[in-house]
Amino acid sequence: AGDSGAEGGAEGGAEGGGARAVQPLRRFGGAAWTYLVLNMLGFGAASTAIPSVSLPASNAERLVAFYLVAGLQGFFFGVVWATFQTCMWSLLPPHADLASVMGFAALAKVAGCGLGNFLGSFILHHFSSDAAGVESIHAAGYAAMCGTCAALIFASAVMLMELRGRA
């Protein structure tokens, strides 16, 4: 009788402060999750475009291609980052310890960035060469790194589609 549990918090009573903080975000439902997954797919596609920057013949054309790819990646990354926050809030139970949960989520994101940087540098190092005292990385190394990044992004999108059904 005294325990409101997950049933009473978000839809009805909202006795605790945590329930009030989570309740408005439940209105997004599946739309926010779909928006998140679609933008993740866009970010993955933009990641596969990075090696194409080396294709144009002139430096000016490469610079334009670089800015276009970087702009696309920045756009999709920003949308995914913000939308992921919204979706994460919608998963919280009504009486969650928000500081602990969000602190753990921030730690997980930073750890993921660190592991991604380690994996990316490991892949690039495999394709590096030292010719005439100048270290360089073959374009195939960037293609392998970006392909791995895109594959992980696409796998994450599939996992989020599964999670979307439970939210």
Side-chain angles (χ1 to χ4, degrees):
D3 183 19
S4 64
E7 300 87 359
E11 281 99 38
E15 296 93 48
R20 288 189 193 109
V22 175
Q23 185 179 2
L25 296 173
R26 297 231 187 255
R27 74 178 190 266
F28 290 110
W33 289 93
T34 302
Y35 187 67
L36 174 63
V37 169
L38 289 174
N39 282 288
M40 285 177 71
L41 296 175
F43 182 68
S47 295
T48 62
I50 293 172
S52 68
V53 171
S54 67
L55 297 177
S58 72
N59 283 341
E61 291 170 337
R62 279 189 226 129
L63 189 61
V64 169
F66 174 76
Y67 281 128
L68 287 173
V69 169
L72 276 174
Q73 275 207 296
F75 171 79
F76 284 118
F77 183 84
V79 171
V80 167
W81 189 270
T83 309
F84 184 75
Q85 284 294 118
T86 299
C87 291
M88 193 166 43
W89 275 97
S90 73
L91 292 175
L92 294 176
H95 300 291
D97 180 6
L98 296 180
S100 295
V101 170
M102 299 313 277
F104 179 77
L107 176 71
K109 284 189 255 183
V110 171
C113 289
L115 288 172
N117 282 329
F118 174 76
L119 179 62
S121 65
F122 184 77
I123 292 170
L124 289 177
H125 182 72
H126 181 71
F127 287 91
S128 67
S129 63
D130 192 6
V134 177
E135 187 175 351
S136 64
I137 299 171
H138 193 273
Y142 289 103
M145 180 191 68
C146 295
T148 302
C149 179
L152 293 171
I153 292 167
F154 295 144
S156 297
V158 169
M159 287 189 282
L160 279 176
M161 284 190 283
E162 289 293 319
L163 188 60
R164 177 183 170 243
R166 298 179 189 179

